[in-house]
Amino acid sequence: MSQSPTLLVGMDVHKDTIAVAYVAQEPGAEVTYLGTIGTRQCDIETLIRKRPSTAQHLICSYEAGPCGSWLYRSLQNKADDCWVVAPSLSPKKAGDRVKTDRRDAVQLARLARSGDLTPVSVPTVDDEAIRDLPRAREDVLRDVKDATFRLKAFVLRQDIRYAGRATWGPAHLRWLAEVVCPTPAQQRVFQEDVRTVTEHTERLGRLDQERREQVTSWR
């Protein structure tokens, strides 16, 4: 790495690889592409160890994405600073649509030096854990809707009609338990569809209960 007292490191982060480029803070310094490393802790530690003794300040930056905040916390412990930046707020040249890991890492390093990156707030471990509960709930809610749709489509194909009004209440559940399909195969499909709706609904209830309990101790 460079002998500059401050190095700005751009990182294009993916699931299994991180493309790394760096540049000294001095105006006119050339951006250097270091290459690609893995995403294991030992890979991050090896990268930090390449920091020269003259580099008194190391600032890493990467774009917020689906990989979570583990890299930010790891770099905060090993480097001097780390910025997680908003991709939508980073300057882009008109017509520049060619994207490669190398170009993205180099561009991040260059924008970090020019001060054109916009860091975002990174949640704490506790905050991220609380966020995971509503995310899981949204996933299960979609599962409930999909399973309910499949069950309704099945009974419609068999011309099985519920005469009551409110669905999924006690009366409707009793009716579902008494439905008899024309063939054993169709009966099995019907029972599995009902069981799927029930299981997803129970999962939704458990997540709702956990969210209510967890939020009482959340800051």
Side-chain angles (χ1 to χ4, degrees):
M1 284 189 176
S2 168
Q3 299 302 306
S4 170
T6 300
L7 291 180
L8 299 125
V9 183
M11 310 176 76
D12 188 46
V13 180
H14 298 277
K15 177 185 175 183
D16 298 315
T17 61
I18 302 174
V20 182
Y22 68 89
V23 65
Q25 197 169 36
E26 289 81 0
E30 291 293 329
V31 180
T32 300
Y33 179 64
L34 191 63
T36 301
I37 65 172
T39 55
R40 299 171 300 175
Q41 289 293 337
C42 60
D43 299 320
I44 306 302
E45 292 169 359
T46 299
L47 173 67
I48 300 302
R49 281 199 299 270
K50 291 183 179 180
R51 165 185 178 168
S53 58
T54 55
Q56 301 172 6
H57 195 200
L58 191 64
I59 303 175
C60 300
S61 59
Y62 69 95
E63 291 183 338
C67 294
S69 305
W70 69 268
L71 180 58
Y72 167 83
R73 299 188 184 103
S74 179
L75 289 170
Q76 281 287 77
N77 291 332
K78 298 177 176 65
D80 294 309
D81 205 355
C82 180
W83 302 339
V84 180
V85 301
S88 60
L89 299 179
S90 298
K92 294 179 176 62
K93 293 182 180 179
D96 186 7
R97 299 181 180 179
V98 178
K99 283 181 63 65
T100 66
D101 296 350
R102 176 174 183 156
R103 292 189 67 176
D104 289 347
V106 168
Q107 181 71 350
L108 280 170
R110 185 177 292 119
L111 292 175
R113 182 179 60 184
S114 64
D116 289 322
L117 293 179
T118 304
V120 298
S121 176
V122 178
T124 66
V125 174
D126 289 341
D127 290 348
E128 201 165 38
I130 292 296
R131 289 182 181 182
D132 282 335
L133 280 172
R135 286 180 183 137
R137 184 185 184 278
E138 290 174 3
D139 291 340
V140 175
L141 190 58
R142 283 192 291 269
D143 291 339
V144 171
K145 291 180 178 179
D146 290 344
T148 302
F149 176 81
R150 288 194 297 270
L151 177 59
K152 289 181 176 179
F154 177 82
V155 297
L156 179 62
R157 290 197 305 272
Q158 311 308 320
D159 194 30
I160 300 173
R161 301 175 184 271
Y162 176 57
R165 294 182 178 179
T167 56
W168 307 110
H172 185 228
L173 293 176
R174 287 194 297 271
W175 175 81
L176 288 172
E178 297 170 356
V179 168
V180 178
C181 296
T183 69
Q186 291 169 324
Q187 187 70 25
R188 171 57 64 186
V189 172
F190 173 77
Q191 290 172 345
E192 291 299 327
D193 284 346
V194 172
R195 184 177 292 110
T196 300
V197 173
T198 301
E199 290 173 350
H200 288 325
T201 303
E202 290 173 350
R203 288 172 59 206
L204 188 63
R206 290 194 297 269
L207 286 170
D208 281 337
Q209 179 62 30
E210 185 67 20
R211 186 175 58 166
R212 286 191 293 269
E213 293 175 357
Q214 290 290 336
V215 78
T216 58
S217 60
W218 182 41
R219 69 179 179 87

